[in-house]
Every structure is written in structure tokens, then in C-alpha cells.
Amino acid sequence: MFLLSCLFLLLCSLITVNASALTTPIAANERLCFFADVDKAGEKIGFYFAVQSGGSFDIDFEVKDPSDKVILDGSRERQGDYVLTANTVGEYSFCFENDMSTLTEKLVDFDIMVESEPRRDAPAKPGQISDQTSSLEESVFRLNGMLMNIKRTQKHFHTRENRGFSIVKSIQNRLFWYCVLESLGIITMAVLQVYVLQTFFTKTGRRYKV
């Protein structure tokens, strides 16, 4: 238990992650930006997004560094998973733009992660077993990598589920309005037929000689 506790504390000291997971609607012709601070050069930035619903499930995106230089962009992308190296300290911007759509609102799920992984320090106490600690650290990092893959897979299935639900809902709405219009057309034709037959047999003022 003591070894596991030490390993957990060591892992917490090795990895520092600042993340924000959000789901936001983006209206038609809207540009929406989010920002993340990087404290030192060399930190890793993880950027993931997926369009959950709306239109063709696509969006334009753009990532800029603190000097307003575009370091990553894309047009009509459905989803993306990127890892960037922050070479400049400051505020990075992550923007989504829904210019291609004039009426449809998009729902976007995204994560922004700023991660720092400093080097391991040498054991502070001579009694510590560095070989066992190193092997346990490698095992924990492998487990962490597998957990991250599971998380990405869950996000992928979550996105597919939301898109499937959005498509089914859109088809359901279209079928509903199609049935409503079809019913109105049938009722209108029936009323017109009754009116025509009624006026045909109730004509007055004319005489017919046989």
C-alpha cells in the first residue's frame, strides 16, 4: 500500500493537465472562440472536437498562437483530434466558424488540454529502489495511454450516437410534415370534388329541351 501510495503521488507530480470539456451551440454565420493559457514553452496542447448535430455535421476551425499566427486550421471538418507543441508562452485561441450554414445551428463537443510532462528527478533518498519505481511508472503510463484510447473510443461512439439521433429526428420531422401536407391535400381534393358535384347538380335558371 505504501508503494502504491508513493507511486500515485509520483504520478500526480509528473503529470499536470489543465483541460476543459465543453459542448456549445454555434449559430449560423457565427464565429466562436475559446482561449487557453500556456505557462511555459514546450508544453503539449491537446485539441479535440466533434460536430454532434446540425446540417452535414461539419464546421470550420482555426487555432492561433499568442502572436495571432495560424498554426492549425480546417474547413468543413466533422471532427478532429490534434496534439500541438506550444513554442510560445501566452494565450492560444481556438475558434469555430459556421459560415457555410445560413440557417442551421451546429452543436460542437470539444476538449482543450494543456499538458506538462517534466523529467523525472533522481530519488531523494538513497533507500529508494529506483528500478522498481521506474518499471511501475512505465506500467502506470501505459495504463494511462490505454485509458486515453478508451476515452477517445467512447467519444467516437458518443459522436456517432448523437449524429444518428440527429439524422433520425430530422427524418422523423420530414415524415411528419410530409404526412400533414399529404393529409391536407387529400382533404382539399375531397372538398373540391364535393363542391364541383354539388354545383353541377344544383344549377338553376337554365332550361334544357329534349
Side-chain angles (χ1 to χ4, degrees):
M1 290 295 296
F2 176 74
L3 185 59
L4 290 176
S5 300
C6 292
L7 183 61
F8 178 76
L9 292 174
L10 182 61
L11 182 63
C12 291
S13 64
L14 285 175
I15 302 177
T16 304
V17 180
N18 296 322
S20 57
L22 295 172
T23 300
T24 179
I26 302 177
N29 297 321
E30 183 183 12
R31 179 182 175 89
L32 196 60
C33 294
F34 300 87
F35 303 91
D37 290 324
V38 173
D39 298 330
K40 56 183 177 180
E43 289 187 342
K44 300 294 183 181
I45 301 176
F47 177 49
Y48 165 85
F49 73 92
V51 182
Q52 304 293 326
S53 63
S56 301
F57 307 102
D58 55 355
I59 198 77
D60 297 340
F61 73 95
E62 187 179 67
V63 181
K64 291 184 178 181
D65 63 5
S67 59
D68 285 338
K69 178 182 178 182
V70 177
I71 57 177
L72 182 66
D73 62 350
S75 177
R76 296 183 179 273
E77 297 288 339
R78 292 190 168 193
Q79 65 183 54
D81 193 357
Y82 306 96
V83 177
L84 311 171
T85 300
N87 297 319
T88 307
V89 177
E91 189 177 64
Y92 286 73
S93 63
F94 304 81
C95 297
F96 298 101
E97 194 166 4
N98 192 17
D99 259 351
M100 83 285 293
S101 179
T102 56
L103 296 174
T104 308
E105 181 183 79
K106 305 291 177 68
L107 186 66
V108 180
D109 182 19
F110 67 96
D111 288 342
I112 299 174
M113 296 171 287
V114 179
E115 181 176 359
S116 176
E117 296 184 3
R119 295 178 177 272
R120 283 200 306 254
D121 296 330
K125 298 180 181 179
Q128 290 180 343
I129 304 176
S130 59
D131 294 337
Q132 293 183 1
T133 304
S134 299
S135 60
L136 287 173
E137 284 180 18
E138 292 176 1
S139 299
V140 171
F141 278 115
R142 282 198 300 268
L143 288 174
N144 183 49
M146 288 187 284
L147 289 175
M148 291 299 294
N149 290 332
I150 293 173
K151 184 179 178 182
R152 289 191 181 95
T153 304
Q154 288 178 337
K155 288 180 179 179
H156 174 69
F157 283 112
H158 177 68
T159 301
R160 290 185 60 182
E161 179 184 3
N162 287 340
R163 288 178 180 175
F165 179 76
S166 178
I167 292 173
V168 170
K169 188 176 179 181
S170 176
I171 294 174
Q172 183 180 3
N173 290 333
R174 291 179 184 178
L175 288 175
F176 172 76
W177 288 112
Y178 175 78
C179 292
V180 169
L181 292 175
E182 186 178 17
S183 301
L184 290 175
I186 293 174
I187 294 172
T188 304
M189 289 298 296
V191 171
L192 287 175
Q193 287 177 355
V194 172
Y195 176 75
V196 170
L197 290 174
Q198 186 179 6
T199 54
F200 180 76
F201 287 105
T202 58
K203 284 184 178 181
T204 58
R206 292 184 182 181
R207 295 182 180 180
Y208 296 94
K209 186 176 182 181
V210 179

